[in-house]
Amino acid sequence: MLSGKPRVRRVPRSVSNEADDFVFLASSYGLTADGWQEDVLESWLGRRGDGRCSAATGGLAVPRQNGKNGAIENRGLGGMVALGEKFLHTAHEVKTAR
């Protein structure tokens, strides 16, 4: 399990974010985010003062089998339910994509 601060991190300034709401929603479906995943979600879901997203894109580089999908599942579920977004989640193995 990963812990601590990332070696490299670049996050634009924001005045608010929806990470807590997304994490709460996901936990209602049995998806529990680790602390570092919540931190990633906060950086991805930041909002500027005018309500627009502070980050046009978000990225995550984590070694194999260390929780990348957990962060993406929380983001995707919250985006679909709360924001009406559509997602296409792909992976090289069908089992992972499902």
Side-chain angles (χ1 to χ4, degrees), residues 3-67:
S3 62
K5 299 285 183 190
R7 275 187 326 123
V8 178
R9 180 177 181 194
R10 183 166 183 210
V11 179
R13 291 182 188 250
S14 61
V15 296
S16 66
N17 68 61
E18 299 162 321
D20 289 341
D21 295 334
F22 279 37
V23 169
F24 177 77
L25 175 67
S27 71
S28 300
Y29 287 90
L31 301 172
T32 304
D34 292 336
W36 71 268
Q37 292 168 324
E38 290 181 26
D39 187 51
V40 168
L41 289 169
E42 284 181 18
S43 66
W44 285 350
L45 297 167
R47 297 264 178 198
R48 302 185 318 200
D50 62 4
R52 296 181 64 185
C53 291
S54 58
T57 60
L60 175 62
V62 181
R64 294 179 54 92
Q65 300 176 354
N66 277 313

Side-chain angles (χ1 to χ4, degrees), residues 50-94:
D50 62 4
R52 296 181 64 185
C53 291
S54 58
T57 60
L60 175 62
V62 181
R64 294 179 54 92
Q65 300 176 354
N66 277 313
K68 291 182 293 289
N69 277 334
I72 294 167
E73 289 165 352
N74 276 264
R75 174 60 180 94
L77 180 62
M80 288 186 289
V81 173
L83 306 177
E85 297 174 335
K86 294 180 181 180
F87 283 82
L88 174 63
H89 187 146
T90 63
H92 68 281
E93 290 187 19
V94 174

